[in-house]
Amino acid sequence: MAEETKTFEDLGEMSGVAAGASEQPVHVQKLDAHGRAYATGKRKNAIARVWIKPGRGKITVNNKDFTDYFARPVLQMLLQQPIHAAERADQYDIMATVVGGGLSGQAGAVRHGISKALTHYEPELRSILKKGGFLTRDSRVVERKKYGRAKARRSFQFSKR
C-alpha cells in the first residue's frame, strides 16, 4: 500500500516545497526609458493615461494645469487624494491624458491612474494606497436602456383613461 501522509507539513516535505513558501509577491519598480512610471486608470467610460516623474508637484491634464481642466474644487481634491495619502505632494510631476466620459468620470480615472503609477514608481506605497481604496477600479457603469422602458428601469407613465 501507499505511504500515508497525516499532516499538511508532511505533504509539503514530500513534494519538496518549503513550509513557508506561500509568501506574498514581490513588487518591483517599473520605469520606462525616460525614468517615468506609466499607468492606465479607468472610471465609467473615461480612460486616463498617466506618467509620473520626479519633479516639483506640477499636475497637467491634457496639456492644461489640472485646476484649469477640472474647475470644480471637489474634482481637484479627488485628483490629489492618492498623492496626499502617500505624503508625496511636491515630489512628482504628473502628466495625464484623458478621453471619454464626463468630468467626474475623468477625474476618477486620473485618480486611479495616479495611484497605479505611484505604486509602479514606489512599490512600498502599495499598502497605503490599497488601504485607502485608491487601487480598486470602480466598475460601476451606466446601465443600458431597455426596450419598452423610458430609461434603463423607468417605465412609461401609466394612464388609466
Side-chain angles (χ1 to χ4, degrees), residues 10-12 28 42 46 56 58 66 79 91 93-95 112 118 126 132 149 155-156 160:
D10 293 342
L11 184 62
V28 293
K42 295 182 180 183
R56 295 186 176 179
K58 185 179 177 193
F66 82 104
L79 218 71
Q91 295 183 15
D93 285 344
I94 299 169
M95 196 201 70
H112 186 228
L118 275 172
R126 184 173 170 80
R149 298 273 176 171
S155 302
F156 293 112
K160 196 168 187 177

Side-chain angles (χ1 to χ4, degrees), residues 14-92:
M14 288 177 59
S15 63
V17 177
S22 61
E23 295 177 13
Q24 293 183 352
V26 178
H27 297 283
V28 293
Q29 190 180 40
K30 298 177 188 171
L31 301 178
D32 64 3
H34 302 287
R36 303 174 300 186
Y38 168 78
T40 305
K42 295 182 180 183
R43 169 84 170 93
K44 292 186 176 181
N45 282 336
I47 300 170
R49 298 181 301 162
V50 179
W51 290 269
I52 287 184
K53 64 179 181 177
R56 295 186 176 179
K58 185 179 177 193
I59 303 173
T60 57
V61 178
N62 289 353
N63 296 323
K64 291 184 183 178
D65 189 55
F66 82 104
T67 54
D68 295 335
Y69 193 84
F70 297 111
R72 284 188 279 168
V74 173
L75 298 179
Q76 295 172 13
M77 179 210 56
L78 192 77
L79 218 71
Q80 295 174 324
Q81 281 179 335
I83 302 163
H84 290 305
E87 298 174 358
R88 301 288 191 271
D90 298 325
Q91 295 183 15
Y92 295 111

Side-chain angles (χ1 to χ4, degrees), residues 42 111-112 115-116 129-130 133-139:
K42 295 182 180 183
R111 176 182 119 163
H112 186 228
S115 305
K116 285 172 64 176
L129 295 172
K130 187 95 170 150
F134 301 118
L135 295 176
T136 306
R137 195 254 200 242
D138 192 351
S139 60

